[in-house]
Amino acid sequence: MTEKKDTARVIRLRADRVLMGETLTVEVLVFPAGVEINIYGGCFPHIGAVSIVDPEGNTVTTQFSGHKDAVISEKWARAVAGAGYRPVTVVAGIHYDNLTKEEIGAVVAMTDGMLEEVLEKMKDALEST
């Protein structure tokens, strides 16, 4: 008799950082057949954009009017899918009031670092199962 692997296990990961006095949070659910990611924070966490990569690697992004969160949601969706995790859904909503161009760069750089950390945590968690 062969041993059946537990395919119902859900891996939960989280990363938090403080930037400009506000918390940025990433929450990840790794399912046996897909990944769900929520990225939010600043002074007004919200849903600004949603990016989806389907099992075949096709990407669809919806960004709500007046928001710029697709820059982050699409980057994350493509990176996670490129690491072999599909399908993937990324919801992003980060807001700070009156950001300068440099401060926007700091938000993007912070989330880029969090992306690297999350990908490593996902790899480690899946290798240990």
Side-chain angles (χ1 to χ4, degrees):
M1 179 182 284
T2 59
E3 185 176 306
K4 184 176 178 185
K5 188 172 183 177
D6 179 13
T7 57
R9 182 161 184 239
V10 175
I11 298 168
R12 291 173 175 79
L13 304 170
R14 181 181 173 117
D16 294 287
R17 298 284 182 280
V18 175
L19 181 65
M20 294 178 280
E22 302 288 348
T23 302
L24 297 180
T25 299
V26 175
E27 296 177 331
V28 180
L29 295 173
V30 181
F31 301 106
V35 178
E36 176 184 316
I37 300 172
N38 290 294
I39 306 166
Y40 57 90
C43 62
F44 186 69
H46 62 285
I47 298 172
V50 178
S51 295
I52 299 168
V53 179
D54 69 19
E56 290 75 41
N58 303 304
T59 304
V60 175
T61 296
T62 298
Q63 178 170 265
F64 299 117
S65 179
H67 294 269
K68 296 181 175 71
D69 302 287
V71 169
I72 293 170
S73 67
E74 195 160 295
K75 181 185 291 186
W76 275 69
R78 290 180 189 271
V80 172
Y85 307 101
R86 291 185 195 159
V88 59
T89 301
V90 179
V91 177
I94 298 171
H95 179 82
Y96 288 88
D97 290 331
N98 306 312
L99 288 181
T100 65
K101 186 175 183 179
E102 292 78 20
E103 290 169 328
I104 292 169
V107 171
V108 172
M110 178 72 72
T111 59
D112 286 351
M114 294 171 85
L115 173 58
E116 290 177 25
E117 176 187 338
V118 164
L119 285 171
E120 189 63 34
K121 283 183 177 181
M122 288 172 63
K123 180 182 171 193
D124 292 346
L126 290 168
E127 286 176 354
S128 68
T129 58

